[in-house]
């Protein structure tokens, strides 16, 4: 799913984040828990980067409380924040 398909202003708990190589370069793949649609996987814009250490910490501790909020578009870019 594209980040642009998410509901504006809605908070999506993140269950997993990992770096992934794609044909366009390295990007962050995020698994979100949507209470309505179940599990959603999105690729975040390449401007959002997590280090290998952050990825390892996130994968080890499944009790992270980080959530993604899609705030709409700002010009041609996605406006994303984390809580």
């Amino acid at each position: 799913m594209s980040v642009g398909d998410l509901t504006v202003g809605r908070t999506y708990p993140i269950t997993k984040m990992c770096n992934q190589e794609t044909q366009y370069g390295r990007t962050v793949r995020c698994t979100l828990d949507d209470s309505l649609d179940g599990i959603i996987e999105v690729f975040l814009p390449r401007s959002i980067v997590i280090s290998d250490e952050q990825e390892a910490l996130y994968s080890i501790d499944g009790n992270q409380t980080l959530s993604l909020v899609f705030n709409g578009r700002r010009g041609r870019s996605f406006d994303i924040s984390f809580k």
Side-chain angles (χ1 to χ4, degrees):
M1 176 181 254
S2 169
V3 171
D5 294 333
L6 298 175
T7 303
V8 175
R10 188 162 175 199
T11 300
Y12 294 89
I14 299 172
T15 59
K16 184 177 179 185
M17 281 195 307
C18 64
N19 291 311
Q20 184 168 341
E21 291 295 329
T22 69
Q23 65 185 8
Y24 303 108
R26 193 175 201 191
T27 188
V28 178
R29 185 178 70 192
C30 223
T31 304
L32 308 174
D33 184 8
D34 181 11
S35 57
L36 299 177
D37 297 324
I39 300 297
I40 299 171
E41 288 198 358
V42 295
F43 288 95
L44 300 182
R46 291 191 324 163
S47 60
I48 298 175
V49 178
I50 61 171
S51 68
D52 291 334
E53 291 81 15
Q54 289 170 316
E55 177 186 354
L57 281 173
Y58 202 88
S59 297
I60 290 170
D61 183 5
N63 296 320
Q64 293 287 344
T65 58
L66 188 64
S67 295
L68 179 143
V69 179
F70 175 54
N71 300 307
R73 295 183 75 100
R74 187 179 318 155
R76 295 179 58 189
S77 302
F78 295 123
D79 184 6
I80 298 171
S81 59
F82 297 92
K83 289 176 149 181

